[in-house]
């Protein structure tokens, strides 16, 4: 950081992108306030994958050890078609991890508190000004050297400024759940693997089976939005057990979850991520389909890289423009390929984690280079 007064950042949003931005900026010497619209910092959703790029961010934030404890690296990523294995991928040893979203969020929130970052809950950002002003739902306006809009797909920071955007939904959607692993009840099988189970007949249904640790299992149940039974929540147990009878012990638990949601795959693409002293990160800037499991990874990399770019910059406005030019192409390519994979259901073929598909995963944000053999 340049000499002079401590610079102030206001971060809108307490999700993975916002927490990462707050920690990274604080570690770079910024005075940071984190705004969360809810009554507490808490995670939403079920499970999550982090690849090498996201794990390196956690290392840079000082949160990696806590995340590794209580998460899981499956021996292989296995793909099934009509209940028969068609591929097993190990990614040439590229590090990856599966965990609950609450586990990752807790580790980041613990780091925020350890650094003494000011957390304001019940504090929703409703608008921002490129000159460096953030307005809250109470009417309070705060001036800062940097405004970080990390307030999700419905970002009010973004929309108040008028960024041009394209947003579209995919044909398919997903029900995401955390259930007990029931490993003993499942019986013989390689149940420590991630198993991507596809069926196209007599209907399109997919289950992404993802162990998070010894006790918790992340299930992603995909069906077209036009399928009233496959997209039904709470879960239509009969229709899922019919297609995946070997998972019945887990599906019975899944059907008990009355809070389950069905979400369409969505993509958001903006003309720019920056305007004046405002930078957008995470889903506010680049929501993407989950096919490559990089939504959170790219969000965390971009938030961390923003703080890197600002470390020695004399002009916030110039630095965040340079940041977008440097880091955005990786995200754009990942977003586009992820959308293509989702639209064409490409992962059903197996062996689809090509060098292009793993480009974002191989990026090392600490060293700003690509690492790991392809």
């Amino acid at each position: 950081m340049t000499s002079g007064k401590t610079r102030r950042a206001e971060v809108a949003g307490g999700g993975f992108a916002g927490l990462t931005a707050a920690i990274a900026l604080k570690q770079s010497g910024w005075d940071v306030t984190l705004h969360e619209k809810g009554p507490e910092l808490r995670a939403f959703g079920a499970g999550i994958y982090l690849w090498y790029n996201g794990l390196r961010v956690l290392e840079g934030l000082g949160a990696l050890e806590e995340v590794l404890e209580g998460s899981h690296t499956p021996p292989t990523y296995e793909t099934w078609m009509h209940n028969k294995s068609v591929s097993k991928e190990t990614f040439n040893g590229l590090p990856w991890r599966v965990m609950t979203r609450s586990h990752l969020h807790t580790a980041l929130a613990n780091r925020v508190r350890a650094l003494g970052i000011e957390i304001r809950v019940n504090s929703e950002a409703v608008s921002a000004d490129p000159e460096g002003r953030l307005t809250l739902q109470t009417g309070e306006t705060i001036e800062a050297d940097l405004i970080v809009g990390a307030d999700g797909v419905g970002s009010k920071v973004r929309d108040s400024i008028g960024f041009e955007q394209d947003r579209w939904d995919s044909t398919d959607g997903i029900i995401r759940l955390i259930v007990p692993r029931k490993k003993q009840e499942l019986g013989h099988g390689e149940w420590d693997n991630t198993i991507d189970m596809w069926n196209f007949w007599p209907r399109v249904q997919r289950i992404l089976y993802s162990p998070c640790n010894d006790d918790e299992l992340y299930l992603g149940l995909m069906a077209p939005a036009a399928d009233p039974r496959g997209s039904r929540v709470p879960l239509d147990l009969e229709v899922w057990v019919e297609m995946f009878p070997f998972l019945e012990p887990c599906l019975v638990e899944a059907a008990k979850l009355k809070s389950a949601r069905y979400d369409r795959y969505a993509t958001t693409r903006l003309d720019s991520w920056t305007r004046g002293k405002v930078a957008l990160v995470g889903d506010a800037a680049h929501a993407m389909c989950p096919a490559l499991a990089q939504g959170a990874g790219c969000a965390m990399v971009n938030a961390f890289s923003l703080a890197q770019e600002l470390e020695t910059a004399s002009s916030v406005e110039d630095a965040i423009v340079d940041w977008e030019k440097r880091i955005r192409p990786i995200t754009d390519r990942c977003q586009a390929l992820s959308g293509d994979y989702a639209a064409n259901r490409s992962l059903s073929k197996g062996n689809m984690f090509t060098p292009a598909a793993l480009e974002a995963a191989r990026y090392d944000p600490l060293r700003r280079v690509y690492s790991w053999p392809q």
Side-chain angles (χ1 to χ4, degrees), residues 170-226:
S170 298
T171 300
D172 298 326
I174 193 167
I175 304 166
R176 301 176 174 96
L177 304 164
I178 297 292
V179 299
R181 281 200 59 184
K182 299 287 183 179
K183 186 177 176 181
Q184 297 303 316
E185 290 87 338
L186 293 178
H188 179 72
E190 297 182 85
W191 299 115
D192 288 333
N193 290 347
T194 281
I195 310 176
D196 198 358
M197 308 171 180
W198 290 82
N199 281 289
F200 287 120
W201 184 91
R203 66 182 69 87
V204 176
Q205 285 178 258
R206 170 197 182 194
I207 292 182
L208 182 62
Y209 167 98
S210 309
C212 297
N213 49 52
D214 289 340
D215 302 313
E216 295 170 301
L217 173 67
Y218 169 35
L219 291 178
L221 299 98
M222 184 275 278

Side-chain angles (χ1 to χ4, degrees), residues 237-250:
L237 181 60
E238 180 182 13
V239 79
W240 288 98
V241 169
E242 179 185 359
M243 297 286 273
F244 305 95
F246 41 84
L247 286 184
E248 183 171 3
C250 302

